[in-house]
Amino acid sequence: MSDARRTATAIDALRRGWPIAIHGSDGTLALLPIETADPERLLVFDPAGTAPVLLTAGRAATLKLANQRDAAAPDSPVLVERAPWLDFATATALADPQLDLQTPLKGPFRAIPLQAADAAGAALRLARVGGVLPAFFASATATADLALTPADIDAHEDAARLTIATRARLPVAGAEDAEIVAFRTPEMPGEHVALLIGTPNGKPPLVRLHSECLTGDVLGSLKCDCGPQLDAAIHAIAASGWGILLYLRQEGRGIGLINKLRAYALQDQGFDTVDANTRLGFAVDSRNFAVAGRMLDLLGQRSVRLLTNNPEKVAQLEAAGIRVVERVPHILPANPHNERYLATKRDRTGHQF
């Protein structure tokens, strides 16, 4: 089985609550996903009741675990000792921050030394790719039918694997002279697309990297500025005469729709978008804009004018070999529902408005 197929199969296993194993450079871990498993599967996986819980450092810091400090990398692995009271229900409460206000945790919980750090880190990356909570029962002695390596997971997100699948003329509101180009890899469940607007004129195109947002782009959510940004980008590119909108399948800053909605629930409890992501156990922003660089390369565009307020997009595109000759601000008015969200982007994630 190829690297990419192993990862796709492992993602399917995680979503079904089946155990997997990861062979890392410093050891092997068998892992049972907490979100999708159940007490019966845990008993089969770990009949002795000794398998500790694998969480992220961000989640562990939120839980104020002993021996755990705030981590610079919130998505790095932490292992929690399996105390007698740490049953499946308690592990579920540890994994899901939406339950923090509903479930009094018994504790105290204690972080213990992690031997197979390579495998543990890969497991947390796989959870993000699969759209499940990054929390597992982890065992160095249990077995699983499916095994993979960290390299398998890295191959699954390798931007170099992206190719053009098809293209067609697509007039859209705000830009009737447009062509859509679809990109995919052999194993990915979704496709990235580019909307080419206008006629190339020999100058760097005006380019917008837009991350998929079902709630904002389709349903008109007022919690973010994604829908208005998408519409305004199309009009700005059309007005410039020539440019490209890249629509990237990186919902929720790369953590997926379900986890984004969990973050929304945490925002309703008073947390901002940054703290909501780290409480869930993810990085502040998990998107990989190397994909955008690959798309532009396949379209023959190595120099661009980038329509963005996010310096990280500029940095990642340039790291992918795309020259950003100009950063063009993309500023829209706030509404009462997204004022705090926009302030958080400005004050905590470096957006320049």
Side-chain angles (χ1 to χ4, degrees), residues 21-102:
I22 298 181
H23 301 306
S25 60
D26 51 1
T28 296
L29 283 178
L31 300 137
L32 184 72
I34 292 173
E35 178 185 345
T36 52
D38 53 44
E40 291 73 22
R41 294 181 195 185
L42 175 59
L43 185 60
V44 174
F45 177 79
D46 179 36
T50 58
V53 171
L54 177 66
L55 299 172
T56 69
R59 183 64 183 142
T62 294
L63 295 167
K64 297 181 171 57
L65 298 183
N67 303 336
Q68 177 58 38
R69 58 183 175 81
D70 290 343
D75 51 351
S76 60
V78 170
L79 205 59
V80 181
E81 184 179 42
R82 185 73 176 278
W85 58 82
L86 211 170
D87 56 10
F88 190 85
T90 303
T92 300
L94 285 178
D96 192 345
Q98 292 181 94
L99 305 176
D100 287 352
L101 300 182
Q102 305 170 21

Side-chain angles (χ1 to χ4, degrees), residues 136 195 252 263 288 306 352:
F136 299 86
L195 190 68
N288 176 9
L306 192 61
Q352 299 173 354

